[in-house]
Amino acid sequence: MKLTIERSALLKSLAHVQSVVERRNTIPILSNVLMEAKDGKLSLTATDMDLTIVDQVEATIVDAGVTTAPAHTFYDIVRKLPDGSEVELTANAETAQMTLKAGRSTFTLQTLPREDFPAAGVADLPQVFGIQAGELKNLIDRTRFAISTEETRYYLNGIYVHATEAEGIPVLRAVATDGHRLARFEMPLPQGAENLPGVIVPRKTVNELRKLIDETNDPIEVSLSETKIMFRFDSTVLSSKLIDGTFPDYQRVIPSGNDKSLVLDCKTFSAAVDRVSTISTEKSRAVKITLDGSALTLSATSAENGSAVEVLEVNYEGTSLDIGFNSRYLLDIAQQIEGDSAEFLMADAASPTIVRDSADTSALYVLMPMRV
């Protein structure tokens, strides 16, 4: 295999695939990126056995061929090369080495045979639909912060995506929860997604996908079965296993009878929560909200740090209420609210609270209170 390629094009493509590769691997070949040069294109593939990314980039191919090279080392070398340099790659299967030349620099990397690299099985993915990049970014951003990181409840380690109806209108709905908070986002159902099975897209897949679609504004083709999902856009294909589990009935968690309504300026509230929570202990991060008339009092106390109090003016309809929340969770939700004001619907100090963006009804958040 022999080819030349522009450094920035190679770097961009390597950046897309190398982050899939785990830093510590018990299987050596999984630390490598598969490189296939033919027909004027260099194809790069990386996998962790659950998630695979394939990226294609144009190159001047002198000799077509295939090899695998250590992903992170290769990426770091290309990243450190001077801007605008031409990179020449030559792989020799007999010596199991790949030589990289750029300007006056020469690097030699050990390669592994392509036969060791996991073969990409062609899966049957019957369900196919398109989604705009902006809509997919929105769907991920509005929900991924609530994904659980607790490995024992593996079925919560992703975003649950399914087709359903909201007030008689077909929607694509995404839900994530970690048991303390829940995020739900819905958008008009894309054409072709009518029979979408309920699937749980894993956290790592969600994070990698979000990074990749940051650079595109083109429509994204989504194809899936009950066990696999694939995203295609530009010159990139990301395919992943889905989480094999049953997502809990999230509708039961969303309260319907919360009668105490609080509307407040989101940026002012976030800044106040951030200030007051400086005092709360690292472990609980608890802040107390006291509502009385149009005054909202935020307070935090800790045996080690002392206490903090801040009063805000709000619109509140309901009887006086003391309720506690984890400040980190409050701030995570507040960050998702793009409008000026947020609406909190509460019942009492022990029941879940609903948070919504006053200007955007597509997202809804549920937050469990804390004892303070």
Side-chain angles (χ1 to χ4, degrees):
M1 181 183 97
K2 188 173 182 182
L3 61 98
T4 54
I5 184 169
E6 215 263 310
R7 175 226 175 226
S8 61
L10 178 58
L11 182 66
K12 184 179 174 185
S13 197
L14 269 173
H16 287 171
V17 298
Q18 62 88 34
S19 56
V20 176
V21 178
E22 296 289 348
R23 287 280 170 189
R24 292 189 191 86
N25 257 319
T26 48
I27 308 168
I29 192 69
L30 295 184
S31 298
N32 282 19
V33 56
L34 174 69
M35 304 160 66
E36 196 166 348
K38 66 175 183 186
D39 305 332
K41 282 195 163 63
L42 173 65
S43 175
L44 300 172
T45 306
T47 184
D48 66 359
M49 300 299 276
D50 290 330
L51 172 62
T52 303
I53 296 182
V54 182
D55 201 86
Q56 284 197 331
V57 60
E58 288 185 4
T60 308
I61 312 294
V62 181
D63 293 319
V66 186
T67 189
T68 80
H72 294 306
T73 312
F74 186 23
Y75 173 69
D76 284 342
I77 291 168
V78 177
R79 187 170 55 82
K80 291 173 183 177
L81 291 174
D83 224 359
S85 39
E86 278 284 315
V87 180
E88 183 186 283
L89 299 173
T90 314
N92 186 329
E94 287 165 18
T95 58
Q97 287 182 330
M98 180 176 84
T99 308
L100 182 155
K101 288 183 180 174
R104 296 183 174 185
S105 308
T106 304
F107 298 87
T108 305
L109 295 174
Q110 297 299 321
T111 63
L112 289 170
R114 80 90 37 103
E115 291 72 38
D116 292 0
F117 200 85
V122 180
D124 180 31
L125 305 171
Q127 191 80 40
V128 183
F129 63 92
I131 184 170
Q132 291 299 325
E135 291 177 329
L136 189 55
K137 286 175 196 171
N138 226 354
L139 182 145
I140 292 172
D141 290 343
R142 293 281 182 271
T143 52
R144 71 168 164 175
F145 69 91
I147 296 175
S148 173
T149 52
E150 215 178 295
E151 298 302 331
T152 49
R153 300 167 79 187
Y154 65 94
Y155 49 85
L156 296 182
N157 295 160
I159 296 177
Y160 178 59
V161 181
H162 62 125
T164 184
E165 283 195 353
E167 294 170 6
I169 299 164
V171 292
L172 179 69
R173 187 179 282 171
V175 184
T177 181
D178 61 5
H180 304 288
R181 61 228 170 126
L182 178 144
R184 188 190 82 187
F185 175 83
E186 51 195 34
M187 54 172 273
L189 190 67
Q191 205 172 350
E194 292 80 8
N195 303 318
L196 185 73
V199 296
I200 308 170
V201 185
R203 183 176 64 242
K204 183 175 176 181
T205 305
V206 168
N207 290 334
E208 290 300 329
L209 178 63
R210 183 64 186 85
K211 277 189 271 185
L212 290 172
I213 61 175
D214 223 17
E215 300 164 7
T216 187
N217 292 312
D218 294 343
I220 290 156
E221 182 189 287
V222 184
S223 40
L224 72 159
S225 65
E226 291 189 355
T227 55
K228 281 198 84 171
I229 190 163
M230 185 189 280
F231 300 88
R232 270 177 202 277
F233 49 94
D234 300 344
S235 57
T236 309
V237 179
L238 179 150
S239 52
S240 166
K241 288 180 183 172
L242 293 165
I243 292 175
D244 181 15
T246 306
F247 200 78
D249 179 7
Y250 63 88
Q251 295 284 29
R252 289 199 358 249
V253 186
I254 302 172
S256 55
N258 289 11
D259 55 349
K260 296 179 173 68
S261 167
L262 162 69
V263 179
L264 45 75
D265 181 273
C266 200
K267 288 184 175 62
T268 311
F269 178 68
S270 296
V273 170
D274 199 19
R275 281 191 291 274
V276 169
S277 66
T278 314
I279 287 291
S280 61
T281 59
E282 193 59 39
K283 190 164 178 271
S284 77
R285 293 184 167 157
V287 290
K288 181 179 172 185
I289 293 176
T290 304
L291 288 161
D292 196 0
S294 62
L296 179 152
T297 308
L298 275 169
S299 58
T301 53
S302 93
E304 306 94 69
N305 300 338
S307 64
V309 177
E310 184 158 343
V311 182
L312 302 175
E313 201 169 301
V314 294
N315 289 331
Y316 176 60
E317 290 171 19
T319 52
S320 300
L321 179 68
D322 286 354
I323 190 166
F325 292 109
N326 178 317
S327 59
R328 179 72 259 148
Y329 296 167
L330 273 177
L331 291 171
D332 281 346
I333 289 174
Q335 274 174 0
Q336 304 311 317
I337 290 172
E338 290 186 339
D340 292 335
S341 62
E343 182 182 11
F344 286 67
L345 292 172
M346 296 168 286
D348 54 55
S351 304
T353 291
I354 289 179
V355 187
R356 286 195 300 228
D357 186 334
S358 299
D360 177 14
T361 55
S362 62
L364 175 139
Y365 308 100
V366 179
L367 189 53
M368 288 301 292
M370 289 176 78
R371 277 216 184 103
V372 282

